[in-house]
């Protein structure tokens, strides 16, 4: 597949040439959460055709953003992981995620939430000011996923799977719909979560990982322009 060329000497145009193809940024999102095997990526991206995933991975490898590694024991085979250049994309992905979250409406039928997407949501909404000097760790559990987040002296480390070691607080929730980050926070605020650990750390979690505010301009109908007579001076 021939990569598109915008013919512009511009950093944004170059970025779009490298990661602007369909599914490419979601592949990078999931690899930012953790290195993954091909089958893990396929399972975490429902709807992506196998040939498209193979093509995106090949393109991202050729661009120096993704590399192959031998999977650590007890896993077998090859994992895909971001290179240092690929990891440099994370701040841009988090910024896009924050902006996109402010444009979200209610979930549509068929929408899915993946562990990787929730992990990146945690990183995107993390408030370093609220977390200044904080040392605390959480494990988030739902029927379909386990995630962890640990803040050490205000610095966040989050990922898919259980926390290495014992978390300070385990938060378990069972939403009626999608196990999204928004559903987690709403359940926590309504007391619809099970806790194993100090309840005060739930309040800390909510303050350190706040929900992004919806953009009122995304749904607000523009006001009609005033008549000339109303604005004449």
């Amino acid at each position: 597949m021939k990569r598109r060329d915008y013919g512009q000497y511009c950093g944004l145009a170059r970025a779009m040439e490298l990661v602007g193809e369909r599914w490419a940024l979601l592949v990078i999102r999931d690899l930012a959460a953790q290195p993954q095997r091909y089958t893990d990526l396929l399972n975490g991206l429902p709807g992506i055709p196998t040939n498209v995933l193979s093509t995106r991975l090949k393109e991202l490898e050729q661009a120096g953003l993704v590399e192959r590694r031998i999977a650590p024991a007890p896993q077998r085979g090859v994992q895909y992981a971001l290179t240092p250049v690929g990891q440099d994309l994370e701040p841009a992905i988090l910024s896009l995620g924050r902006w996109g979250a402010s444009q979200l409406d209610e979930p549509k039928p068929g929408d899915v939430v993946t562990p990787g997407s929730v992990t990146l949501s945690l990183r995107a909404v993390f408030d370093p000011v609220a977390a200044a000097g904080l040392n605390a760790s959480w494990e988030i559990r739902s029927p379909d996923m386990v995630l962890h987040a640990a803040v050490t002296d205000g610095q966040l480390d989050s990922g898919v799977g259980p926390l290495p070691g014992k978390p300070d607080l385990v938060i378990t929730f069972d939403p009626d719909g999608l196990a999204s980050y928004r559903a987690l926070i709403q359940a926590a605020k309504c007391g619809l979560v099970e806790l194993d650990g100090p309840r005060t750390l739930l309040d800390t979690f909510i303050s350190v990982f706040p929900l992004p505010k919806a953009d009122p301009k995304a749904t607000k109908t523009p006001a009609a322009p005033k008549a000339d007579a109303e604005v004449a001076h």
Side-chain angles (χ1 to χ4, degrees):
M1 182 181 295
K2 188 178 184 301
R3 185 182 299 278
R4 69 180 66 188
D5 185 343
Y6 292 101
Q8 297 186 30
Y9 190 73
C10 164
L12 180 59
R14 180 58 177 157
M16 292 299 295
E17 289 168 0
L18 294 174
V19 299
E21 297 290 348
R22 191 162 188 251
W23 294 101
L25 282 179
L26 294 186
V27 171
I28 293 171
R29 177 202 69 186
D30 284 5
L31 293 180
Q34 64 177 3
Q36 300 191 44
R37 295 173 299 177
Y38 178 89
T39 53
D40 298 328
L41 286 167
L42 195 61
N43 292 334
L45 296 168
I48 188 171
T50 55
N51 64 316
V52 173
L53 177 56
S54 298
T55 299
R56 291 293 94 83
L57 287 170
K58 182 177 180 180
E59 291 171 346
L60 294 171
E61 281 188 87
Q62 291 173 343
L65 306 179
V66 169
E67 63 184 5
R68 301 186 192 201
R69 299 176 181 172
I70 301 298
Q75 300 183 49
R76 295 182 179 180
V78 173
Q79 281 185 336
Y80 292 90
L82 294 180
T83 65
V85 175
Q87 292 169 5
D88 288 343
L89 278 166
E90 184 167 324
I93 292 175
L94 297 183
S95 292
L96 276 173
R98 280 191 295 270
W99 179 83
S102 72
Q103 310 300 311
L104 284 175
D105 295 322
E106 293 300 314
K108 300 186 296 294
D111 281 352
V112 299
V113 170
T114 67
S117 69
V118 180
T119 298
L120 267 290
S121 292
L122 287 172
R123 297 179 190 176
V125 302
F126 176 68
D127 184 351
V129 175
L134 178 66
N135 291 283
S137 60
W138 300 267
E139 192 168 284
I140 301 100
R141 301 176 183 173
S142 76
D144 299 320
M145 68 179 72
V146 178
L147 311 172
H148 65 268
V151 178
T152 304
D153 196 20
Q155 300 297 310
L156 173 65
D157 177 29
S158 64
V160 178
L163 181 78
K166 181 176 173 57
D168 296 322
L169 177 66
V170 176
I171 306 171
T172 302
F173 75 117
D174 189 1
D176 293 333
L178 295 174
S180 64
Y181 176 71
R182 186 177 298 273
L184 166 64
I185 293 298
Q186 290 172 343
K189 288 183 175 180
C190 294
L192 301 177
V193 293
E194 294 182 10
L195 303 178
D196 182 4
R199 183 175 182 81
T200 54
L201 285 179
L202 179 64
D203 296 332
T204 303
F205 181 86
I206 293 171
S207 66
V208 170
F209 300 98
L211 277 176
K213 295 181 179 179
D215 183 358
K217 293 182 290 185
T219 55
K220 185 177 180 180
T221 303
K226 295 182 179 181
D228 291 343
E230 292 180 295
V231 296
H233 294 286

